């Protein structure tokens, strides 16, 4: 009995490892048997073996070095997880976690919006009426708090907590952590929403005229400025997978943008009314949208199809690192969880005090916490299973020291991606591009073809003719003619490619310089 | 034969000497025999052979000294010979030349010659007389040959005379005589062309062998991921074992220990121990015999089977094969009933066949034969051909028809399994009945598109019939539903598990009423999607069902409606009063995009009307969806605490009429607008071709021209352009997605990140793309493999000279996984040399050292 169980366990462990290995080997290798080139086959076989080893080691590392798993609320047979109030959850969790949820009542300076750094350590709070504050959430202390005395529409951290952008009444501004204003980004205009693309160091904003701006914050260069032409909107989210910006519009459309294309990459008709909120999953394949038509839809972005549709209102949406979906509606916050196969069902529910309008919900990275910015301040609640339990210090480190932070900043700058790399499918890079319908030939290609044609013309056999028509001189002449005839179309082509029409020369001839300047003119080569 | 390579190499250099070998010679075997008898007397005849075997490079030039060897006049006395013999012994002792047979005295002779030279020189110097004076002193001719007269060649008889009287002489003589009796005719030498051909072939063979031996090594090097070039840093000491092996006892103590350990007793004991172990390995004779018998039996069985199969295969009789096929089918059908595995297999096979058919369209008049016949006209053909064509088409229709897939069955099974524990058998029975009816309903709507049934009146009649049947079936369904509902009233347990309801096919099995709530959600969804994009319903109904037949869908949706209605009713009976329904009708009526408007939704009994309904509007669903949400936790309150408040239950207020209408219209507008937008984008990316028009004044000179209208080529061109555009539109990614526009615009800035042509060794795009799928950087790989993944093809320290390739044995089975180390030795290693010398056997002058 016992050995059988041990065997079964062993088998299970092996299966698990295999699954992980599959994950790390990123798809299957090529079918080497079909290859005919033996040298390539040998090289690829060696490479594949290395890949396999690497995947295996990575899987093992994951197994042994990242043992913590997210824990969800587990109901007894008749209980429902969404009936658990925060109170009872707080009672059950450990001391450290029980200190994390809080409510901050700030009734004066209006509805609040919040933002976390990518490592989840710092929180930026923006009150509509000009209140800005940055907090260290690890030791819960206020780093800086100040008043800008004008409307604050949105806040966004740049690459780390050292700088952040704030969309204010007329323009977005960039402040440093001490609250000193560093830049005023006038070109963006009256920005309604800000998003920062970390890998590309781009600050994207949408302003009240529906213009989308991309600005490189490392060089200060304005990368792109596009008119969406779809009206004012304040629904904007960046897809963390491919850094494509998603915008929700009043006509029920969701458009996706990249900095190098004037037209949206994808336009989807998602709702029958205006789109109120938008969120992307971390994997980039799922998108959640909420509309005025009282629907929340979850889309598969690979097929552009609805995976799931709910009848519920959503003022703001957010996906957690582990795929929970938070949705706010009036003073109520609902959290959905994927129960397998994109079957999102209600997982938790939280109700604020009546009259508190929730403005923004945002999951805190690497913590099981949902931050809520509402009309009377901000609060945070515990959502078990929302955050990634294992953090990779190469990517984000919530416990970063100053030195590490500096190091990371430099590395991030060195690894900065150019804005062209933003595309719907980033895996496309380095693949073979699809053949164009009509590709212009290069000069070299034209020359090669011409040579071939000439060769062919030279080698054509001429008929033997009588009465002196096959004299050597005649034959030579004929051959020459043939060559010329073969050459002519190519010469015309190359002229097109080079794009230097004779016009220029003619102009040069025609325009006579005044006599005083003629001596400076380039002498005609003769 | 001596194994000294240097000696062998001398062989080809002996060109001029070969010519002297023309005379009759003893066969080698005989010569050996003679040698064994006694070396001395036959020396003369052996001379050439000796020089052949024992000549060293150094002496070659002296070998041709004719005065000493060819001197047959016997000028030299015997004394000189003795001297020579003595000398030879001494020199042999000195030089320690490995001479096994003791007959390579050649070199000694030469030695002698040298000595003599020296002597003469000394004499010359001392006496001052010319060299010729002393030359006469030269002794030569070591052989005791009988005196020769004239220049005739030495015959065998001459040689035989010498050994007369010695033991074995008679034997030799007899054989010789026998040989002489047979008149040997020398074959004429081959013509030069032939000879050269042979030579070339041999040369080719050898050189090929020479080259192919490199193959392995070269292959190895080419396949190795990395080549290291490094100088030999081997100090000669490899392992501890090697050191221990070379250990020699030196001190007293060590010697004594060695004595003990290497004593015979201990060795013996050790050996015995090993033998004991071996003893255990013994196999019983019986076992072996049994095994052999068994194997033999198996082999014979196999053989017989094979023979039988061969015979059966040869049978050409048609009837036989027909019978066989029938039998097989029968067996298979029996099998299906017995075990589901076989049925599944069969279904898979069928599915594969159908897929193949869909791919190839083999039976859809694509064959050469069919095309030809169609070209000539079907009406012209005889009865048989027409029948054949019809049969083929029938086959195609059969194969390409949508089938009830296995999935449905399994899902229904699964669902029934799901509720096994909680559901009573009655409900199950009812469900099953319902399912069956649904199946029947579905199955009967296949309208053949050829033959008599395709005629319009037949179609109409069939439809009528179908409707009637459908009506009947629905009534039955209704009944089932009623009974189910009753059941459900009793059954208060609510199951939260969701069943996947996809497409119209599967809602039959999903009809378990205690899953009411979930199912309703699902249904709403399918319906919603239906209503949102209702002109393309097939696609949104479900991914699995891509049926394009409009009536199918109608039927499906109608069914859906029906059932949904019932469900709603039931739900309302349980939960709520059907109050809001009346208000929704307005919104519904307002929506003009739906083709038919349901007039009386509240009326449950009106069935006939509903069946025509395509899809209800979305607006009317909303309130129900709304109350769907709180229903699960309906009256439960959240506990007060924290910042939560519990007293408010979501109180939903009906939106005003105006708002409802606005929403409905807004939705309509959005869709139409989007469609327009999409059209615009499409036209922009694939512009519509211009309409063909004549340039005014051209082609309109005469009445006839005007009557003719546009020239045919223009129309044709236009059509082609149109078709191209349509194809381009079809090829778009968003061609099937009504609600999506995906820009096909090619971004030039992205293009620089793509590869223009496939990189060299690759020939297929897939292989290339799969080979770059893994990131190789340190961020993505463990430290162990990063260096291996990023190592350059050749690693070499500065200053190391890469020497030409050296030959060494390579294990052919060893895979070149690890980077290969090419270790260059200052002196070519001993093994390599040996191997090369072995290889050069028979090769022409091969002086190159590896």
């Amino acid at each position: 009995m016992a050995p059988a169980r041990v065997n079964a366990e062993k088998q299970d462990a092996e299966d698990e490892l295999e699954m992980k290995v599959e994950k790390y080997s990123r798809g299957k290798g090529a079918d080497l048997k079909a290859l005919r080139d033996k040298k390539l086959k040998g090289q690829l076989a060696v490479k594949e073996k290395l890949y396999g080893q690497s995947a295996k080691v990575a899987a093992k590392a994951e197994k042994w070095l990242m043992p913590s798993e997210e824990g969800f609320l587990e109901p007894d047979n008749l209980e429902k997880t969404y009936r658990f109030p925060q109170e009872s959850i707080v009672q059950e969790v450990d001391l450290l976690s029980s200190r994390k949820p809080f409510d901050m009542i700030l009734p004066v300076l209006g509805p609040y919006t919040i933002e976390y750094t990518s490592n989840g350590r710092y929180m930026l709070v923006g009150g509509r009426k000009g209140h800005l504050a940055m907090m260290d959430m690890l030791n819960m202390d206020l780093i800086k708090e100040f008043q800008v005395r004008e409307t604050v529409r949105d806040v966004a951290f740049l690459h780390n907590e050292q700088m952040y952008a704030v969309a204010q009444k007329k323009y977005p501004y960039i402040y440093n952590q001490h609250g000193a204003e560093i830049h005023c980004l006038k070109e963006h205009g009256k920005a309604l929403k800000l998003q920062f693309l970390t890998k590309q160091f781009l600050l994207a904003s949408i302003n009240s005229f529906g213009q989308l701006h991309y600005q490189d914050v490392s060089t200060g260069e304005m990368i792109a400025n596009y008119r969406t032409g779809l009206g004012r909107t304040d629904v904007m989210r960046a897809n963390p997978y491919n850094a494509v910006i998603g915008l929700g519009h009043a006509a029920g459309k969701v458009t996706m943008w990249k900095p190098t294309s004037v037209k949206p990459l994808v336009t989807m008709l998602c709702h029958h009314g205006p789109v109120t909120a938008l969120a992307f999953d971390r994997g980039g394949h799922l998108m959640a949208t909420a509309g005025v038509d009282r629907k929340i839809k979850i889309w598969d972005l690979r097929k552009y199809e609805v995976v799931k549709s709910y009848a519920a209102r959503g003022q703001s949406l957010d996906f957690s690192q582990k795929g929970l979906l938070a949705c706010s509606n009036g003073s109520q916050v609902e959290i959905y969880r994927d129960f397998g196969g994109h079957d999102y069902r209600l997982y938790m529910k939280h109700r604020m005090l009546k009259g508190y309008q929730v403005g923004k919900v945002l999951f805190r990275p690497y913590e099981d916490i949902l931050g809520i910015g509402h009309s009377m301040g901000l609060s945070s609640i515990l959502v078990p299973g929302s955050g990634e339990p294992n953090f990779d210090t190469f990517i984000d480190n919530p416990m970063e020291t100053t030195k590490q932070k500096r190091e990371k900043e430099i590395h991030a700058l060195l690894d900065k991606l150019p804005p062209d790399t933003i595309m719907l499918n980033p895996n496309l890079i380095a693949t073979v591009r699809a053949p164009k319908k009509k590709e212009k030939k290069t000069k070299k290609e034209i020359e090669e073809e011409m040579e071939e044609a000439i060769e062919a013309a030279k080698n054509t056999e001429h008929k033997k003719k009588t009465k002196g028509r096959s004299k050597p001189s005649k034959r030579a002449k004929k051959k020459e003619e043939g060559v010329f005839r073969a050459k002519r179309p190519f010469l015309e082509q190359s002229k097109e490619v080079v794009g230097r029409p004779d016009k220029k020369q003619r102009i040069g001839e025609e325009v006579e310089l005044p006599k005083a300047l003629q001596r400076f003119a380039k002498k005609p080569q003769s | 034969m001596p194994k000294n390579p240097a000696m062998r190499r001398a062989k080809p250099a002996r060109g001029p000497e070969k010519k002297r070998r023309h005379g009759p010679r003893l066969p080698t075997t005989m010569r050996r025999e003679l040698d064994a008898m006694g070396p001395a007397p036959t020396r003369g005849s052996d001379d050439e052979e000796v020089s052949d075997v024992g000549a060293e490079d150094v002496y070659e030039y002296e070998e041709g000294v004719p005065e000493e060897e060819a001197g047959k006049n016997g000028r030299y006395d015997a004394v000189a010979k003795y001297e020579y013999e003595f000398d030879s012994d001494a020199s042999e002792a000195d030089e320690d030349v490995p001479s096994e047979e003791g007959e390579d005295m050649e070199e000694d002779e030469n030695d002698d010659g040298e000595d003599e030279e020296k002597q003469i020189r000394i004499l010359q110097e001392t006496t001052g007389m010319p060299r010729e004076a002393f030359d006469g002193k030269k002794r030569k001719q070591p052989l005791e040959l009988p005196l020769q007269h004239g220049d005739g060649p030495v015959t065998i008889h001459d040689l035989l005379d010498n050994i007369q009287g010695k033991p074995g002489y008679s034997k030799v003589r007899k054989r010789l005589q026998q040989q002489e009796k047979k008149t040997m005719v020398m074959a004429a030498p081959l013509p030069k062309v032939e000879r050269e051909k042979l030579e070339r072939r041999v040369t080719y063979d050898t050189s090929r062998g020479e080259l192919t031996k490199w193959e392995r090594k070269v292959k190895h090097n080419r396949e190795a991921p990395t080549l290291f070039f490094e100088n030999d840093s081997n100090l000669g000491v490899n392992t501890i074992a090697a050191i221990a092996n070379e250990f020699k006892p030196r001190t007293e103590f060590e010697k004594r220990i060695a004595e003990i350990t290497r004593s015979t007793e201990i060795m013996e004991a050790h050996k015995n121990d090993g033998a004991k172990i071996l003893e255990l390995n013994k196999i019983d004779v019986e076992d072996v015999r049994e095994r052999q018998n068994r194997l033999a039996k198996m082999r014979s069985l196999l053989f017989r089977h094979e023979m039988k199969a061969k015979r059966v295969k040869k049978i050409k009789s048609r009837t036989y094969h027909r019978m066989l096929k029938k039998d097989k089918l029968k067996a298979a059908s029996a099998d299906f009933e017995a075990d589901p595995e076989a049925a599944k297999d069969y279904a898979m096979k069928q599915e594969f066949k159908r897929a193949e058919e869909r791919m190839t369209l083999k039976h859809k008049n694509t064959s050469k034969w069919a095309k030809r016949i169609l070209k000539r006209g079907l009406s012209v053909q005889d009865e048989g051909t027409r029948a054949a064509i019809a049969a083929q088409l029938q086959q195609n229709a059969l194969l390409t028809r949508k089938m009830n897939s296995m999935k449905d069955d399994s899902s229904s099974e699964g669902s029934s399994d799901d509720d096994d524990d909680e559901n009573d058998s009655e409900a199950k029975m009812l469900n099953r009945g319902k399912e069956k009816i649904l199946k029947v309903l579905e199955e009967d709507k296949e309208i053949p598109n050829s033959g008599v049934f395709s005629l319009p009146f037949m179609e109409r009649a069939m439809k009528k019939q179908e409707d009637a049947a459908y009506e009947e079936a629905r009534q039955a369904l209704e009944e089932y539903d009623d009974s189910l509902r009753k059941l459900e009233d009793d059954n208060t347990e609510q199951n939260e598990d969701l069943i996947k309801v996809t497409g119209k096919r599967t809602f039959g099995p999903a009809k378990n009423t205690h899953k009411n709530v979930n199912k309703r959600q699902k249904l709403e969804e399918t319906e919603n999607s239906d209503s949102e994009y209702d002109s393309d319903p097939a696609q949104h109904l479900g991914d699995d069902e891509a049926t394009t037949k409009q009536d199918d869908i109608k039927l499906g949706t109608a069914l859906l409606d029906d059932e949904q209605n019932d469900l709603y009713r039931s739900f309302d009976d349980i939960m709520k009063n059907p109050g809001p329904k009346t208000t929704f009708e307005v919104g519904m009526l307002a929506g003009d995009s739906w083709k038919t408007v349901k007039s009386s939704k509240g009326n449950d009994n009106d069935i006939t009307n509903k069946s025509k309904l395509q899809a209800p509007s979305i607006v009317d669903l909303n309130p129900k969806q709304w109350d769907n949400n709180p229903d699960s936790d309906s009256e439960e309150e959240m506990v007060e605490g924290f910042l939560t408040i519990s007293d408010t239950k979501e109180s939903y207020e009906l939106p005003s009429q105006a708002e409802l209408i606005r929403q409905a219209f807004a939705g309509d507008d959005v869709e139409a607008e989007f469609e327009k937008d999409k059209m615009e984008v499409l036209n922009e990316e694939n512009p519509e071709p211009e309409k063909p028009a004549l340039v005014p004044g051209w082609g309109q000179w005469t009445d006839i021209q005007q009557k003719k209208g546009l020239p045919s080529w223009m129309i044709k061109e236009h059509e082609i352009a149109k078709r191209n555009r349509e194809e381009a539109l079809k090829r778009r990614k968003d061609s099937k997605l009504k609600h999506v526009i995906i820009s096909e615009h090619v971004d030039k800035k992205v293009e620089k990140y793509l590869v223009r042509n496939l990189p060299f060794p690759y020939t297929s795009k897939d292989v290339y793309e799969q080979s770059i799928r893994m990131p190789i950087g340190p961020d993505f790989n463990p430290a162990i493999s990063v260096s291996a993944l990023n190592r350059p093809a050749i690693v070499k320290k500065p200053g190391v000279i890469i020497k030409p390739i050296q030959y060494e044995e390579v294990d052919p089975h060893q895979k070149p996984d690890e980077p290969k180390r090419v270790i260059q030795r200052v002196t070519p290693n001993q093994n390599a040399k040996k191997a090369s010398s072995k290889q050069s056997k028979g090769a022409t002058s091969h002086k190159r050292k590896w």
Side-chain angles (χ1 to χ4, degrees), chain A residues 250-309:
Chain A
K253 281 183 198 168
V254 167
T255 51
M256 295 184 194
W257 299 80
K258 67 174 178 179
T260 52
S261 139
V262 186
K263 290 271 162 67
L265 298 173
V266 177
T267 311
M268 300 166 73
L269 182 64
C270 291
H271 291 277
H272 284 268
V275 178
T276 55
L278 182 68
F280 290 99
D281 187 27
R282 194 160 70 138
H285 297 316
L286 282 185
M287 175 175 79
T289 58
V292 174
D293 59 352
R294 287 204 206 92
K295 288 241 177 81
I296 293 177
K297 290 182 183 173
I298 294 172
W299 299 79
D300 188 338
L301 288 183
R302 291 169 290 190
K303 294 194 284 182
Y304 301 104
E305 273 174 6
V306 186
V307 175
K308 195 100 192 198
S309 163

Side-chain angles (χ1 to χ4, degrees), chain B residues 298-570:
Chain B
M298 288 305 290
R299 234 173 281 138
S300 78
L301 270 175
L302 266 178
F303 176 70
R304 256 181 233 165
H305 186 74
E306 203 174 303
M307 293 310 286
K308 196 184 170 188
K310 253 185 201 167
R311 187 172 56 79
V312 168
K313 205 187 166 192
K314 260 187 196 163
I315 294 174
K316 288 206 179 82
S317 155
R318 262 194 174 184
T319 41
Y320 170 78
H321 277 290
R322 207 166 46 216
M323 302 284 270
L324 196 71
K325 206 174 176 186
K326 226 179 226 173
D327 271 4
K328 250 186 204 165
L329 265 180
K330 214 178 256 173
S333 63
D335 253 16
F336 299 155
E337 279 162 18
D339 75 318
E341 199 67 8
K344 206 175 170 188
D345 266 8
Y346 177 71
M348 286 287 278
K349 223 179 262 171
Q350 284 294 313
E351 192 62 39
F352 181 75
K353 249 192 202 165
R354 289 186 336 97
E356 205 179 23
E357 176 65 26
R358 264 180 279 136
M359 288 273 290
T360 58
L361 295 178
K362 195 179 164 191
H363 294 106
K364 217 181 174 190
N365 294 342
T366 46
S367 69
K368 220 174 177 183
W369 167 78
K371 268 184 200 160
R372 210 182 106 241
I373 281 169
L374 286 180
K375 207 176 174 187
R376 290 165 83 193
L378 208 58
S379 52
V380 195
Q381 305 299 328
D382 60 325
E383 201 65 14
T385 323
R386 255 181 287 170
I389 288 262
Q392 211 184 33
L393 278 176
Q394 177 77 15
Q395 179 110 0
N396 176 52
L398 266 176
L399 282 172
T400 50
R401 194 171 60 193
K402 268 263 151 199
M403 287 294 206
N404 286 334
S405 62
M406 297 284 290
K407 251 186 231 160
D408 291 9
D409 298 347
S410 65
S411 79
S412 74
E413 272 170 28
S415 62
S416 63
D417 282 349
D418 275 348
D419 51 33
D420 257 348
D421 42 354
E422 57 228 303
N423 207 358
D424 39 354
S425 56
E426 207 174 340
K428 236 198 261 178
M429 288 251 295
L430 285 171
N431 274 334
R432 209 168 287 160
K434 225 156 106 181
E435 232 171 273
K436 262 185 192 161
I437 285 171
L438 280 171
K439 236 182 224 169
V440 168
L441 276 179
E442 278 154 30
E443 271 166 13
D444 280 344
K445 55 195 188 240
E446 215 43 73
I447 299 167
N449 40 10
S450 61
V452 193
F453 289 106
S454 61
L455 294 172
F457 65 89
M458 284 302 274
E459 224 169 281
R460 251 175 280 141
M462 272 175 72
K463 202 161 189 189
K464 216 178 246 175
Q465 206 178 351
E466 202 181 275
D467 280 351
Y470 175 55
E471 216 41 59
E472 213 172 296
R474 220 160 24 133
Q475 269 163 14
L477 262 180
E478 199 84 4
E479 276 169 37
Y480 278 131
D481 269 349
D482 280 337
S483 40
L484 268 173
R485 214 171 302 128
K486 265 177 216 156
L487 266 171
E488 188 237 18
D489 285 344
D490 306 334
N491 194 0
T492 47
E493 198 179 59
Q494 291 257 327
N495 191 5
E496 278 293 320
D497 282 353
L498 255 181
I499 331 153
K500 284 271 153 212
V501 184
T502 44
K504 64 176 164 60
R505 275 289 151 81
T506 40
F507 60 68
K511 210 155 286 176
N512 307 316
T513 22
H514 56 269
K515 288 171 186 169
N516 208 343
V517 182
N518 294 328
K519 191 168 59 186
R520 219 196 61 183
Q521 264 179 336
K522 279 274 177 189
L523 286 169
E524 273 166 15
E525 264 171 48
T526 48
E527 203 175 41
N528 285 349
S529 55
D530 204 2
S531 59
E532 275 165 21
Y533 319 109
D534 58 343
S535 42
D536 189 11
Q539 198 202 314
H540 291 280
L541 254 180
D543 316 6
D544 54 339
E545 290 290 311
T547 45
T548 45
K549 282 192 179 169
Q550 196 61 30
D551 43 355
D552 278 12
I553 280 123
K554 260 185 209 161
L555 197 135
T557 45
L559 269 174
L560 248 170
D561 275 346
D562 246 5
E563 181 189 70
Q564 180 194 348
N565 243 1
D566 295 337
L567 288 168
Y568 286 169
R569 192 150 43 89
S570 69

Side-chain angles (χ1 to χ4, degrees), chain B residues 243-255:
Chain B
I243 298 167
N245 220 17
E246 278 172 18
F247 173 75
K248 268 174 195 158
R250 280 165 300 179
T251 59
E252 275 290 300
F253 177 68
E254 280 173 359
K255 272 173 192 163

Side-chain angles (χ1 to χ4, degrees), chain B residues 214 804-805 836 845-850:
Chain B
W214 288 91
I805 191 166
S836 73
S845 66
H846 209 100
K847 298 241 163 147
R848 192 183 157 195
K849 286 189 181 165
W850 306 112

Side-chain angles (χ1 to χ4, degrees), chain B residues 678-679 681-688 722-736 744:
Chain B
K678 185 164 181 177
M679 243 10 250
V681 171
L682 292 188
N683 282 338
E684 195 183 310
E685 287 181 6
N686 303 78
E688 224 168 331
K722 236 176 164 179
R723 210 185 307 136
N724 283 347
R725 179 175 181 262
E726 263 162 29
E727 262 167 34
L729 291 187
K730 238 182 234 171
R731 247 181 285 126
R732 284 177 67 100
K733 272 186 215 156
D734 54 4
S735 63
K736 288 194 175 164
E744 301 268 284

Side-chain angles (χ1 to χ4, degrees), chain B residues 531 534 585-597 615 617-619 661 663-669 671-672:
Chain B
S531 59
D534 58 343
E585 280 170 3
V586 183
M588 209 173 51
L589 282 165
D592 57 350
S593 76
W594 292 283
K595 285 154 197 157
T596 31
V597 175
S617 71
I618 35 157
V619 198
I661 289 171
Q663 275 185 8
F665 274 103
D668 263 0
D669 271 344
E671 206 160 276

